[in-house]
Amino acid sequence: MKKILLIQPSPYDKNHKPVKKNKLYFVGLAMPLLAAMLPEGWDAEIVLEIIEDIPFDTDAELIGISTMGHGVIRSIDIAREFRERGKTVIFGGYMASIMAEEALKHCDSLVVGDAELVWHDLIRDYEEGKLKKIYEKNLEKGFFSTPLPRFDLIVNKKIGDFLPVQAGRGCPNTCSFCSVACLYKGSYIKKPLKEVVRDIKQVKDLGFKKFLLLDDNIFSDREYLDKLLMEIKSLKMEWMSQCDIRIGRDDELLKKLSDSGCTTLSFGLESISKESLKGMNKAWANPDEYPDLIKNIHSYGIDVSTEMVVGGEGDTLQSIRDTKFFIEDNKITVPRFYILTPIPGTKFFKDMAEEGRIIREDIYSFDGREAVHLPKNMTPGELTAAYWDLYESLFTLRSILKRNVFRKEFMRKPGKYLFYLLVNLFYRYQVKNRITPNIY
Ligand code: B12
């Protein structure tokens, strides 16, 4: 049996050490899928670096490394070490896909975008000594298929109480900062319902009561989602996902979501400034509507988790400060923020580069913790300071209690809100240490 080692690297912390955790809650699907798609005669070992060490003395002959955001720096270092030991290294994932030319300097071969249609060819070419530099064949529009992911390779690791499932890839929206828009260009592809149900059943059979539908936007195709919810309901599981906030207008769908066991939805709200949203090609989102939509989603018993960015075209120091009131007034339990960052490959990067507004040359330092572009209404230094001030202001004990304990729903589900309280205290510790809180 030939063997491939599939590594999901951990990004570096501010001391240049890979981030380590006791448990990894949000496990990606790429590695279990790549393992499942290997041709006969091959087996895989998966390493999730956040919770385990990389066996650099492995007997595997091929090394597959995933690349994500600024975590790519760690991917490159791991690749270097393996190549020095004579191993063949393959890159894949978002960063390698959108910066293929740059990534090729650090690996033997790479897959741009979806691996489903090229993975067999790549492995066979390797066996025959004819490995090409780049493999690229994107899935066609419409439906795509995947085998059952090899969860058996990860279930005994220190992971949380849910597993990932995927129904669709891509998103019809084309926000200028988004890497998904950059790869899928506004298209949305989906798996046949039968396959999604098959995958959820596997999660259930493995003893899990929850799953994470890690789609980019489950509200991309309403008809498909409607059918999917009926199927999910019959499986009697709890689940979480993310989507477009406009789902909050659709009472019929919200009821179905709630009945199907959906407990939490995460929304990229980005900004409370209309001008900033316009600058992100996201003018379809209306911040005036956010409070009502959030209230409506909450009214169906679905928790709202938010992701926002500061530093957009309309942001001022005052609007960033005001974001605190928006979060508190809307009782957002666990808010997360990033500094708007031009990721190479995205439209926002191109725009900023053309306008001469990128102030850092080293793209590997773009980690969302510091401003790397020239914002319109403040200096980069002011933006970075305002970002951390916003985080500080929301993670005071007073604000944490206000958002998580002093709310009418607390008595109905105290366990849940106490859990959020703990997450908030952990975020508070991270913010104090200038670590961007994340969902790991
Ligand atoms: C789950 C998830 C996580 C989890 C798990 C991480 C992991 N490494 O798997 C956690 C929470 C830990 C995480 C962390 C981060 N994430 Co993340 N994450 C996701 C999410 C929501 C789903 C990933 C997934 O499993 N998708 C399903 C699988 C099947 O699709 P896939 O990963 O694209 O894999 C396919 C191909 O890309 C390819 N492929 C992928 N890897 C490899 C490797 C090899 C060797 C090969 C051949 C092929 C291949 O094959 C797969 C099948 O076709 C994506 C969004 C998305 N659309 O994917 C964001 C996403 C990938 N994350 C992103 C980012 C930015 C991060 C962070 C940097 C966030 C931060 N600020 O810290 C960190 C970095 C972590 C790291 N390890 O370096 C960005 C990446 C953008 C970019 N330009 O790179 C995304 C796209 C979100 C977004 N909309 O911006 N993430």
Side-chain angles (χ1 to χ4, degrees), residues 85-104:
R85 291 168 187 246
K87 305 285 184 186
T88 301
V89 173
I90 319 290
F91 271 180
Y94 269 81
M95 231 33 214
S97 299
I98 61 184
M99 293 171 49
E101 210 176 298
E102 170 69 19
L104 263 181

Side-chain angles (χ1 to χ4, degrees), residues 282-293:
K282 197 167 178 164
W284 52 262
N286 178 3
D288 295 343
E289 222 193 344
Y290 285 171
D292 284 343
L293 298 181

